Amino acid sequence: NGPTLEYVQPEDVLIIGGDGDINEAEAVIHQQFLTASELWLLVDQKVFDEKAVKQIIQMGDDVPADATGDIKNQRRSNAGGDSIYSDSDLDRYQIAECYLKIDVDGSGINSDVVVWTHMPSGEILRATYLHRINRSGERPFSKIDFHKRVGETYGVGLVEMLYPLAVELNAMRNIRVDYGLMSATPFFFYRGGSTLSAESIEIRPGCGIAVDDPQRDVYFPNLGNRQIFGAQEEANLTSYIEKLTGISDLSLGISSGKQGATRTATG
């Protein structure tokens, strides 16, 4: 029955000001899509105003045409799911839970308030002081950045930080594949004055090709193993990633070598 954590999609949260500090931000707005049943449950719990809920439901359900709906649909499509706005889905209403710092009584002192608003109509479902909900006065959000930017609201995520190295790692992988294909695919040089005609000749096991002198008229070049360069570069990029992020096998509790890291002085 203790507090639980719930992940909130980034496109559903807007943070204004505060340099990334949730509790110091001028506004934190959380977008939610609630069913009529969930709205009436909050009315029964004395959270939402009954008249406002009736008016919102009479307006009909909300199908947002903004970018957040497109993002959610694309995410579900990539995961193999149906659209979030299918005909079989329950009617949902777009509610914004807003944590604001505003001057309520004209004293010039900002107070922390919470306002629930129906976004399409602007109908206010409830407004109250934050300390009435949470005695500590803290907002129920925690923004976790992998790397913070000084003076910026949003920090740098792990994917964003590793993107340049990931591009180079992908390029080196493609180069290694190209090397492998060139080494494994047979091609040859042949004497221009030999009996071979100037056309593409398919080479396959069990195929015989007539030439005057096989030892001298045909030459199969050996490219050798040229993938070692790509393998070394990929290993270097992996070490760069470990140094940049601080994430390594040891920090993850994985012993990558045969000898444990703490078994002997050498290990």
Coordinates of all heavy atoms in Angstrom, one line a residue, residues 62-149:
D62 N -12.7 13.0 -26.8 CA -11.7 13.8 -27.5 C -10.8 12.9 -28.2 O -10.3 11.9 -27.7 CB -10.9 14.6 -26.4 CG -11.8 15.4 -25.5 OD1 -12.8 15.9 -26.0 OD2 -11.5 15.5 -24.3
V63 N -10.5 13.3 -29.5 CA -9.5 12.7 -30.3 C -8.5 13.8 -30.7 O -8.7 14.6 -31.6 CB -10.1 12.0 -31.6 CG1 -8.9 11.4 -32.4 CG2 -11.1 11.0 -31.2
P64 N -7.3 13.8 -30.0 CA -6.4 14.9 -30.2 C -5.8 14.9 -31.6 O -5.4 13.8 -32.1 CB -5.3 14.7 -29.1 CG -5.4 13.3 -28.7 CD -6.9 12.9 -28.9
A65 N -5.6 16.0 -32.2 CA -5.0 16.1 -33.5 C -3.6 16.7 -33.4 O -3.0 17.1 -34.4 CB -5.8 17.0 -34.4
D66 N -3.0 16.7 -32.2 CA -1.7 17.2 -32.0 C -0.6 16.1 -32.2 O -0.9 15.0 -32.6 CB -1.5 17.9 -30.7 CG -1.8 16.9 -29.5 OD1 -2.1 15.7 -29.8 OD2 -1.8 17.3 -28.4
A67 N 0.6 16.5 -32.0 CA 1.7 15.6 -32.3 C 1.8 14.4 -31.3 O 2.3 13.4 -31.6 CB 3.1 16.3 -32.3
T68 N 1.2 14.6 -30.1 CA 1.3 13.5 -29.1 C 0.6 12.3 -29.5 O 1.0 11.2 -29.3 CB 0.8 14.0 -27.7 OG1 -0.6 14.4 -27.9 CG2 1.6 15.2 -27.2
G69 N -0.6 12.5 -30.2 CA -1.4 11.4 -30.6 C -0.6 10.6 -31.7 O -0.6 9.4 -31.8
D70 N 0.0 11.4 -32.6 CA 0.8 10.7 -33.7 C 2.0 9.9 -33.1 O 2.3 8.8 -33.6 CB 1.3 11.8 -34.7 CG 0.2 12.5 -35.4 OD1 -0.9 11.9 -35.5 OD2 0.4 13.7 -35.8
I71 N 2.6 10.5 -32.1 CA 3.8 9.8 -31.5 C 3.3 8.5 -30.8 O 3.9 7.4 -31.0 CB 4.4 10.7 -30.4 CG1 5.1 11.9 -31.1 CG2 5.5 9.9 -29.6 CD1 5.6 12.9 -30.1
K72 N 2.2 8.5 -30.1 CA 1.6 7.3 -29.5 C 1.2 6.3 -30.5 O 1.5 5.1 -30.3 CB 0.5 7.7 -28.6 CG 0.8 8.5 -27.4 CD -0.4 8.8 -26.5 CE -0.1 9.8 -25.4 NZ 1.0 9.2 -24.5
N73 N 0.6 6.7 -31.6 CA 0.2 5.8 -32.6 C 1.4 5.1 -33.3 O 1.4 3.9 -33.6 CB -0.7 6.5 -33.7 CG -2.1 6.5 -33.3 OD1 -2.7 5.5 -32.7 ND2 -2.8 7.5 -33.6
Q74 N 2.4 5.9 -33.5 CA 3.6 5.4 -34.1 C 4.3 4.4 -33.2 O 4.8 3.3 -33.7 CB 4.6 6.5 -34.5 CG 5.9 6.0 -35.2 CD 6.8 7.2 -35.6 OE1 6.5 8.3 -35.3 NE2 7.8 6.8 -36.3
R75 N 4.4 4.7 -31.9 CA 5.0 3.8 -31.0 C 4.2 2.4 -30.9 O 4.8 1.4 -30.9 CB 5.0 4.4 -29.6 CG 5.8 3.6 -28.5 CD 5.7 4.2 -27.1 NE 6.3 5.4 -27.1 CZ 5.7 6.6 -26.8 NH1 4.4 6.6 -26.6 NH2 6.4 7.7 -26.7
R76 N 2.9 2.5 -30.9 CA 2.1 1.3 -30.8 C 2.2 0.5 -32.1 O 2.2 -0.7 -32.1 CB 0.6 1.6 -30.5 CG 0.4 2.0 -29.1 CD -1.1 2.3 -28.9 NE -1.9 1.1 -29.1 CZ -2.5 0.5 -28.1 NH1 -2.5 0.9 -26.9 NH2 -3.2 -0.6 -28.4
S77 N 2.3 1.2 -33.2 CA 2.4 0.5 -34.5 C 3.8 -0.2 -34.6 O 3.8 -1.4 -35.1 CB 2.3 1.5 -35.7 OG 2.5 0.9 -36.9
N78 N 4.9 0.4 -34.1 CA 6.2 -0.2 -34.1 C 6.2 -1.5 -33.2 O 6.9 -2.4 -33.4 CB 7.2 0.8 -33.7 CG 7.4 1.9 -34.7 OD1 7.1 1.7 -35.9 ND2 8.0 3.0 -34.3
A79 N 5.4 -1.4 -32.2 CA 5.3 -2.5 -31.2 C 4.3 -3.6 -31.7 O 4.1 -4.6 -31.0 CB 4.9 -2.0 -29.8
G80 N 3.7 -3.4 -32.8 CA 2.7 -4.4 -33.3 C 1.3 -4.2 -32.8 O 0.5 -5.2 -32.9
G81 N 1.0 -3.1 -32.2 CA -0.3 -2.9 -31.6 C -1.2 -2.1 -32.5 O -0.8 -1.5 -33.6
D82 N -2.5 -2.0 -32.2 CA -3.5 -1.2 -32.9 C -3.4 0.2 -32.6 O -2.7 0.6 -31.6 CB -4.9 -1.8 -32.7 CG -5.0 -3.2 -33.2 OD1 -4.3 -3.6 -34.1 OD2 -5.8 -3.9 -32.6
S83 N -4.2 1.0 -33.3 CA -4.2 2.5 -33.0 C -4.8 2.7 -31.7 O -5.7 2.0 -31.2 CB -5.1 3.2 -34.1 OG -5.3 4.5 -33.7
I84 N -4.4 3.7 -31.0 CA -4.9 4.1 -29.6 C -6.3 4.7 -29.7 O -7.0 4.9 -28.7 CB -4.0 5.0 -28.9 CG1 -3.8 6.3 -29.7 CG2 -2.7 4.4 -28.6 CD1 -3.0 7.3 -28.9
Y85 N -6.8 5.0 -31.0 CA -8.1 5.6 -31.1 C -8.9 4.7 -32.0 O -9.6 5.2 -33.0 CB -7.9 7.0 -31.8 CG -7.0 7.9 -31.0 CD1 -5.8 8.4 -31.6 CD2 -7.2 8.2 -29.7 CE1 -5.0 9.2 -30.9 CE2 -6.4 9.0 -29.0 CZ -5.2 9.5 -29.6 OH -4.4 10.3 -28.9
S86 N -9.0 3.4 -31.8 CA -9.8 2.5 -32.6 C -11.2 2.6 -32.2 O -11.6 3.2 -31.1 CB -9.3 1.1 -32.3 OG -9.4 0.7 -31.0
D87 N -12.1 2.1 -33.0 CA -13.6 2.2 -32.7 C -14.0 1.4 -31.5 O -15.0 1.7 -30.9 CB -14.3 1.7 -34.0 CG -14.1 2.6 -35.2 OD1 -13.8 3.8 -35.0 OD2 -14.3 2.1 -36.3
S88 N -13.2 0.3 -31.2 CA -13.6 -0.5 -30.1 C -13.1 0.1 -28.7 O -13.5 -0.4 -27.7 CB -13.0 -1.9 -30.3 OG -11.6 -1.8 -30.3
D89 N -12.3 1.1 -28.8 CA -11.8 1.7 -27.6 C -12.9 2.5 -26.9 O -13.8 3.0 -27.5 CB -10.6 2.6 -27.9 CG -9.8 2.9 -26.7 OD1 -10.0 2.3 -25.6 OD2 -8.8 3.8 -26.7
L90 N -12.7 2.7 -25.6 CA -13.7 3.5 -24.8 C -13.5 5.0 -25.1 O -12.4 5.4 -25.4 CB -13.5 3.2 -23.3 CG -13.8 1.8 -22.8 CD1 -13.4 1.6 -21.3 CD2 -15.2 1.4 -23.0
D91 N -14.5 5.7 -24.9 CA -14.4 7.2 -25.0 C -13.5 7.7 -24.0 O -13.6 7.4 -22.8 CB -15.8 7.8 -24.9 CG -16.7 7.5 -26.0 OD1 -16.2 7.0 -27.1 OD2 -18.0 7.7 -25.9
R92 N -12.6 8.6 -24.4 CA -11.6 9.2 -23.5 C -11.6 10.7 -23.6 O -11.9 11.2 -24.7 CB -10.2 8.6 -23.8 CG -10.1 7.1 -23.6 CD -8.7 6.6 -23.7 NE -8.6 5.2 -23.5 CZ -8.4 4.7 -22.3 NH1 -8.2 5.4 -21.3 NH2 -8.3 3.4 -22.1
Y93 N -11.3 11.3 -22.5 CA -11.3 12.8 -22.4 C -10.0 13.3 -22.0 O -9.4 12.8 -21.1 CB -12.4 13.2 -21.4 CG -13.8 12.6 -21.8 CD1 -14.1 11.3 -21.3 CD2 -14.7 13.3 -22.6 CE1 -15.4 10.8 -21.6 CE2 -15.9 12.7 -22.9 CZ -16.2 11.5 -22.4 OH -17.4 10.9 -22.8
Q94 N -9.5 14.4 -22.7 CA -8.2 14.9 -22.5 C -8.2 15.9 -21.3 O -8.8 16.9 -21.4 CB -7.8 15.6 -23.8 CG -6.3 16.0 -23.8 CD -5.9 16.6 -25.2 OE1 -6.8 17.0 -25.9 NE2 -4.7 16.7 -25.4
I95 N -7.5 15.4 -20.2 CA -7.5 16.2 -19.0 C -6.0 16.6 -18.7 O -5.1 15.8 -18.9 CB -8.0 15.4 -17.8 CG1 -9.4 14.8 -18.1 CG2 -8.0 16.2 -16.5 CD1 -10.4 15.9 -18.4
A96 N -5.8 17.9 -18.4 CA -4.5 18.4 -18.1 C -4.4 18.6 -16.6 O -5.2 19.3 -16.0 CB -4.2 19.7 -18.8
E97 N -3.4 17.9 -15.9 CA -3.2 18.1 -14.5 C -2.0 19.1 -14.4 O -0.9 18.8 -14.7 CB -2.8 16.8 -13.8 CG -2.6 16.8 -12.3 CD -2.2 15.5 -11.8 OE1 -2.4 14.5 -12.5 OE2 -1.9 15.4 -10.6
C98 N -2.3 20.3 -14.0 CA -1.3 21.4 -14.0 C -0.9 21.8 -12.6 O -1.7 22.1 -11.8 CB -2.0 22.6 -14.7 SG -2.8 22.3 -16.3
Y99 N 0.4 21.8 -12.4 CA 1.1 22.3 -11.2 C 1.7 23.6 -11.5 O 2.6 23.7 -12.3 CB 2.1 21.3 -10.7 CG 1.5 19.9 -10.3 CD1 1.2 19.0 -11.3 CD2 1.3 19.7 -9.0 CE1 0.6 17.8 -10.9 CE2 0.7 18.4 -8.6 CZ 0.4 17.5 -9.6 OH -0.2 16.3 -9.2
L100 N 1.1 24.7 -10.9 CA 1.5 26.1 -11.2 C 2.0 26.8 -10.0 O 1.6 26.5 -8.9 CB 0.2 26.8 -11.8 CG -0.5 26.0 -12.9 CD1 -1.8 26.8 -13.3 CD2 0.3 25.9 -14.2
K101 N 2.8 27.9 -10.3 CA 3.2 28.9 -9.3 C 2.5 30.2 -9.7 O 2.9 30.8 -10.7 CB 4.7 29.0 -9.3 CG 5.4 27.8 -8.6 CD 6.9 28.1 -8.5 CE 7.6 26.9 -7.9 NZ 7.3 26.7 -6.5
I102 N 1.4 30.6 -9.0 CA 0.7 31.8 -9.4 C 0.3 32.6 -8.1 O 0.3 32.0 -7.0 CB -0.6 31.4 -10.2 CG1 -1.5 30.5 -9.4 CG2 -0.3 30.8 -11.5 CD1 -2.8 30.3 -10.1
D103 N 0.1 33.8 -8.3 CA -0.4 34.7 -7.3 C -1.9 34.6 -7.1 O -2.6 35.1 -8.0 CB 0.0 36.2 -7.6 CG -0.3 37.1 -6.4 OD1 -0.8 36.6 -5.4 OD2 -0.2 38.3 -6.6
V104 N -2.4 33.9 -6.1 CA -3.8 33.6 -6.0 C -4.6 34.8 -5.4 O -5.6 35.1 -5.9 CB -4.0 32.3 -5.1 CG1 -5.5 32.0 -4.9 CG2 -3.2 31.1 -5.7
D105 N -4.1 35.4 -4.4 CA -4.8 36.4 -3.7 C -4.4 37.9 -3.9 O -4.8 38.8 -3.2 CB -4.8 36.1 -2.2 CG -3.4 36.0 -1.6 OD1 -2.4 36.2 -2.4 OD2 -3.2 35.6 -0.5
G106 N -3.4 38.0 -4.9 CA -3.0 39.4 -5.2 C -2.0 39.9 -4.3 O -1.7 41.2 -4.2
S107 N -1.4 39.1 -3.5 CA -0.4 39.5 -2.5 C 1.0 39.7 -3.1 O 1.9 40.3 -2.4 CB -0.3 38.5 -1.3 OG 0.1 37.3 -1.8
G108 N 1.2 39.3 -4.3 CA 2.5 39.4 -4.9 C 3.4 38.2 -4.6 O 4.5 38.1 -5.0
I109 N 2.9 37.2 -3.8 CA 3.6 36.0 -3.5 C 3.0 34.8 -4.2 O 1.8 34.6 -4.1 CB 3.5 35.8 -1.9 CG1 4.2 36.9 -1.2 CG2 4.3 34.5 -1.6 CD1 4.1 36.9 0.3
N110 N 3.8 34.1 -4.9 CA 3.3 33.0 -5.7 C 3.0 31.8 -4.8 O 3.7 31.5 -3.8 CB 4.3 32.5 -6.8 CG 4.4 33.6 -7.9 OD1 3.4 34.3 -8.1 ND2 5.5 33.6 -8.6
S111 N 2.0 31.1 -5.0 CA 1.6 29.9 -4.3 C 1.6 28.7 -5.3 O 1.3 28.8 -6.5 CB 0.2 30.0 -3.7 OG 0.2 31.1 -2.8
D112 N 1.9 27.5 -4.7 CA 1.8 26.3 -5.5 C 0.4 25.8 -5.5 O -0.2 25.4 -4.5 CB 2.8 25.2 -4.9 CG 4.2 25.5 -5.2 OD1 4.6 25.7 -6.4 OD2 5.0 25.6 -4.3
V113 N -0.2 25.7 -6.7 CA -1.6 25.2 -6.8 C -1.6 24.1 -7.9 O -0.7 24.0 -8.7 CB -2.5 26.4 -7.3 CG1 -2.5 27.5 -6.2 CG2 -2.1 26.9 -8.6
V114 N -2.7 23.3 -7.8 CA -2.9 22.3 -8.8 C -4.3 22.5 -9.4 O -5.3 22.7 -8.7 CB -2.9 20.9 -8.1 CG1 -2.9 19.8 -9.1 CG2 -1.6 20.7 -7.2
V115 N -4.3 22.4 -10.7 CA -5.6 22.7 -11.5 C -5.8 21.5 -12.4 O -4.8 21.2 -13.2 CB -5.5 24.0 -12.2 CG1 -6.9 24.3 -12.9 CG2 -5.2 25.2 -11.2
W116 N -7.0 20.9 -12.4 CA -7.3 19.9 -13.4 C -8.3 20.6 -14.4 O -9.3 21.2 -14.1 CB -8.0 18.8 -12.8 CG -7.1 17.9 -12.0 CD1 -6.5 16.7 -12.5 CD2 -6.7 18.0 -10.6 NE1 -5.7 16.2 -11.5 CE2 -5.8 16.9 -10.3 CE3 -7.0 18.9 -9.6 CZ2 -5.2 16.8 -9.1 CZ3 -6.4 18.8 -8.4 CH2 -5.6 17.7 -8.1
T117 N -7.9 20.5 -15.7 CA -8.6 21.2 -16.8 C -8.9 20.3 -17.9 O -8.1 19.5 -18.3 CB -7.8 22.4 -17.3 OG1 -7.4 23.2 -16.2 CG2 -8.6 23.3 -18.3
H118 N -10.1 20.4 -18.5 CA -10.4 19.7 -19.7 C -9.9 20.6 -20.9 O -10.3 21.7 -21.1 CB -12.0 19.6 -19.9 CG -12.4 18.9 -21.1 ND1 -13.3 19.4 -22.0 CD2 -12.0 17.7 -21.6 CE1 -13.5 18.5 -23.0 NE2 -12.7 17.5 -22.8
M119 N -8.9 20.0 -21.6 CA -8.1 20.8 -22.5 C -8.9 21.4 -23.7 O -8.8 22.6 -24.0 CB -6.9 20.0 -23.0 CG -5.9 19.7 -21.9 SD -4.4 18.8 -22.4 CE -3.7 20.0 -23.5
P120 N -9.8 20.6 -24.3 CA -10.5 21.2 -25.5 C -11.4 22.3 -25.1 O -11.6 23.3 -25.9 CB -11.3 20.0 -26.0 CG -10.5 18.8 -25.6 CD -10.0 19.1 -24.2
S121 N -12.1 22.2 -24.0 CA -13.1 23.2 -23.6 C -12.6 24.2 -22.6 O -13.2 25.3 -22.4 CB -14.3 22.5 -23.0 OG -14.0 21.9 -21.8
G122 N -11.5 23.9 -21.8 CA -11.0 24.8 -20.8 C -11.8 24.7 -19.5 O -11.6 25.5 -18.6
E123 N -12.7 23.7 -19.4 CA -13.5 23.6 -18.2 C -12.6 23.1 -17.0 O -11.8 22.2 -17.2 CB -14.6 22.5 -18.5 CG -15.6 22.3 -17.3 CD -16.6 23.5 -17.2 OE1 -16.8 24.2 -18.3 OE2 -17.1 23.7 -16.1
I124 N -12.7 23.8 -15.9 CA -11.9 23.5 -14.7 C -12.7 22.4 -13.9 O -13.8 22.7 -13.4 CB -11.6 24.7 -13.9 CG1 -10.8 25.7 -14.7 CG2 -10.9 24.4 -12.6 CD1 -10.4 27.0 -14.0
L125 N -12.0 21.3 -13.7 CA -12.6 20.2 -12.9 C -12.3 20.4 -11.4 O -13.1 20.0 -10.5 CB -12.0 18.9 -13.3 CG -12.4 18.5 -14.7 CD1 -11.6 17.3 -15.2 CD2 -13.9 18.0 -14.8
R126 N -11.2 21.0 -11.0 CA -10.8 21.3 -9.7 C -9.6 22.1 -9.6 O -8.7 22.1 -10.5 CB -10.6 20.0 -8.9 CG -10.4 20.2 -7.4 CD -9.9 18.9 -6.7 NE -9.6 19.2 -5.3 CZ -9.0 18.3 -4.5 NH1 -8.6 17.2 -4.9 NH2 -8.9 18.6 -3.2
A127 N -9.5 22.9 -8.6 CA -8.3 23.7 -8.3 C -8.1 23.8 -6.8 O -9.0 24.0 -6.0 CB -8.5 25.2 -8.8
T128 N -6.9 23.5 -6.3 CA -6.6 23.5 -4.9 C -5.1 23.8 -4.7 O -4.3 23.8 -5.7 CB -7.0 22.1 -4.3 OG1 -6.8 22.2 -2.9 CG2 -6.1 21.0 -4.9
Y129 N -4.8 24.0 -3.4 CA -3.4 24.3 -3.1 C -2.6 22.9 -3.1 O -3.2 21.9 -2.7 CB -3.2 25.0 -1.8 CG -3.7 26.4 -1.8 CD1 -4.9 26.8 -1.3 CD2 -2.8 27.4 -2.3 CE1 -5.3 28.1 -1.3 CE2 -3.2 28.7 -2.3 CZ -4.5 29.1 -1.8 OH -4.9 30.4 -1.8
L130 N -1.3 23.0 -3.5 CA -0.5 21.8 -3.5 C -0.3 21.2 -2.1 O -0.4 19.9 -1.9 CB 0.8 22.0 -4.1 CG 1.8 20.9 -4.2 CD1 1.3 19.7 -5.0 CD2 3.2 21.3 -4.8
H131 N -0.2 22.0 -1.1 CA 0.1 21.5 0.3 C -1.1 20.8 0.8 O -1.0 20.0 1.8 CB 0.5 22.6 1.2 CG -0.6 23.7 1.5 ND1 -1.6 23.5 2.3 CD2 -0.8 24.9 0.9 CE1 -2.4 24.5 2.4 NE2 -1.9 25.4 1.5
R132 N -2.3 21.0 0.2 CA -3.5 20.2 0.7 C -3.4 18.7 0.2 O -4.0 17.9 0.8 CB -4.8 20.9 0.2 CG -5.1 22.2 0.8 CD -6.3 22.8 0.2 NE -6.7 24.1 0.8 CZ -7.6 24.9 0.4 NH1 -8.4 24.5 -0.6 NH2 -7.9 26.0 1.1
I133 N -2.7 18.5 -0.9 CA -2.5 17.2 -1.5 C -1.3 16.5 -0.9 O -1.3 15.3 -0.6 CB -2.5 17.3 -3.0 CG1 -3.7 17.9 -3.6 CG2 -2.3 15.9 -3.6 CD1 -3.7 18.1 -5.1
N134 N -0.2 17.2 -0.8 CA 1.0 16.7 -0.3 C 1.6 17.7 0.7 O 1.9 18.8 0.4 CB 2.0 16.5 -1.5 CG 3.3 15.8 -1.0 OD1 3.4 15.4 0.1 ND2 4.2 15.6 -2.0
R135 N 1.6 17.3 1.9 CA 2.0 18.2 3.0 C 3.5 18.7 2.8 O 3.8 19.8 3.3 CB 1.9 17.5 4.4 CG 0.5 17.2 4.8 CD 0.4 16.6 6.2 NE -0.9 16.3 6.6 CZ -1.7 17.2 7.2 NH1 -1.3 18.4 7.4 NH2 -3.0 16.9 7.5
S136 N 4.3 17.9 2.2 CA 5.7 18.4 2.0 C 5.8 19.5 0.9 O 6.8 20.2 0.8 CB 6.6 17.2 1.5 OG 6.2 16.7 0.2
G137 N 4.7 19.7 0.1 CA 4.7 20.7 -0.9 C 5.5 20.4 -2.1 O 5.7 21.2 -3.0
E138 N 5.8 19.1 -2.3 CA 6.6 18.7 -3.5 C 5.6 18.1 -4.5 O 4.6 17.5 -4.2 CB 7.6 17.6 -3.1 CG 8.7 18.1 -2.2 CD 9.7 17.0 -1.8 OE1 9.5 15.8 -2.2 OE2 10.7 17.3 -1.2
R139 N 6.0 18.4 -5.7 CA 5.2 17.9 -6.9 C 5.5 16.4 -7.1 O 6.6 16.0 -7.0 CB 5.5 18.7 -8.1 CG 5.0 20.1 -8.0 CD 5.6 21.0 -9.1 NE 5.1 22.4 -9.0 CZ 5.5 23.4 -9.7 NH1 6.5 23.2 -10.6 NH2 5.0 24.6 -9.6
P140 N 4.5 15.6 -7.5 CA 4.7 14.2 -7.6 C 5.3 13.7 -8.9 O 4.9 12.8 -9.5 CB 3.2 13.6 -7.5 CG 2.4 14.7 -8.1 CD 3.1 16.0 -7.7
F141 N 6.4 14.4 -9.3 CA 7.1 14.0 -10.5 C 8.6 14.0 -10.2 O 9.1 14.8 -9.3 CB 6.9 15.0 -11.6 CG 5.5 15.0 -12.1 CD1 4.5 15.9 -11.7 CD2 5.1 14.1 -13.1 CE1 3.2 15.9 -12.1 CE2 3.8 14.1 -13.6 CZ 2.8 15.0 -13.1
S142 N 9.3 13.2 -10.9 CA 10.8 13.2 -10.7 C 11.4 13.0 -12.1 O 11.1 12.0 -12.8 CB 11.2 12.0 -9.8 OG 12.7 12.0 -9.8
K143 N 12.1 14.0 -12.6 CA 12.8 13.9 -13.9 C 14.2 13.4 -13.7 O 15.0 14.0 -13.1 CB 12.7 15.3 -14.6 CG 13.2 15.3 -16.0 CD 13.0 16.7 -16.7 CE 13.9 17.7 -16.1 NZ 15.3 17.6 -16.5
I144 N 14.5 12.3 -14.4 CA 15.8 11.7 -14.3 C 16.6 11.9 -15.6 O 16.2 11.3 -16.6 CB 15.7 10.2 -13.9 CG1 14.9 10.0 -12.7 CG2 17.0 9.6 -13.8 CD1 14.6 8.6 -12.3
D145 N 17.6 12.7 -15.6 CA 18.4 12.9 -16.7 C 19.7 12.1 -16.6 O 20.3 12.1 -15.5 CB 18.8 14.4 -16.9 CG 17.6 15.3 -17.1 OD1 16.7 14.9 -17.9 OD2 17.5 16.4 -16.5
F146 N 20.2 11.6 -17.7 CA 21.5 10.8 -17.7 C 22.6 11.8 -17.5 O 23.5 11.6 -16.7 CB 21.7 10.0 -18.9 CG 22.9 9.2 -18.9 CD1 22.9 7.9 -18.2 CD2 24.0 9.6 -19.5 CE1 24.0 7.1 -18.2 CE2 25.2 8.8 -19.5 CZ 25.1 7.6 -18.8
H147 N 22.5 13.0 -18.1 CA 23.5 14.0 -18.0 C 22.8 15.4 -18.0 O 22.1 15.7 -19.0 CB 24.5 13.9 -19.2 CG 25.6 15.0 -19.1 ND1 26.6 14.9 -18.1 CD2 25.9 16.1 -19.8 CE1 27.5 15.9 -18.3 NE2 27.0 16.7 -19.3
K148 N 22.9 16.1 -16.9 CA 22.2 17.4 -16.8 C 22.9 18.5 -17.6 O 24.2 18.5 -17.7 CB 22.1 17.8 -15.4 CG 21.2 16.9 -14.6 CD 21.0 17.4 -13.1 CE 20.1 16.5 -12.4 NZ 19.9 16.9 -11.0
R149 N 22.2 19.4 -18.1 CA 22.7 20.6 -18.8 C 22.5 21.8 -17.8 O 21.4 22.0 -17.4 CB 22.0 20.9 -20.1 CG 22.3 20.0 -21.2 CD 21.6 20.5 -22.5 NE 22.0 19.7 -23.7 CZ 21.2 19.1 -24.5 NH1 19.9 19.2 -24.3 NH2 21.6 18.5 -25.5

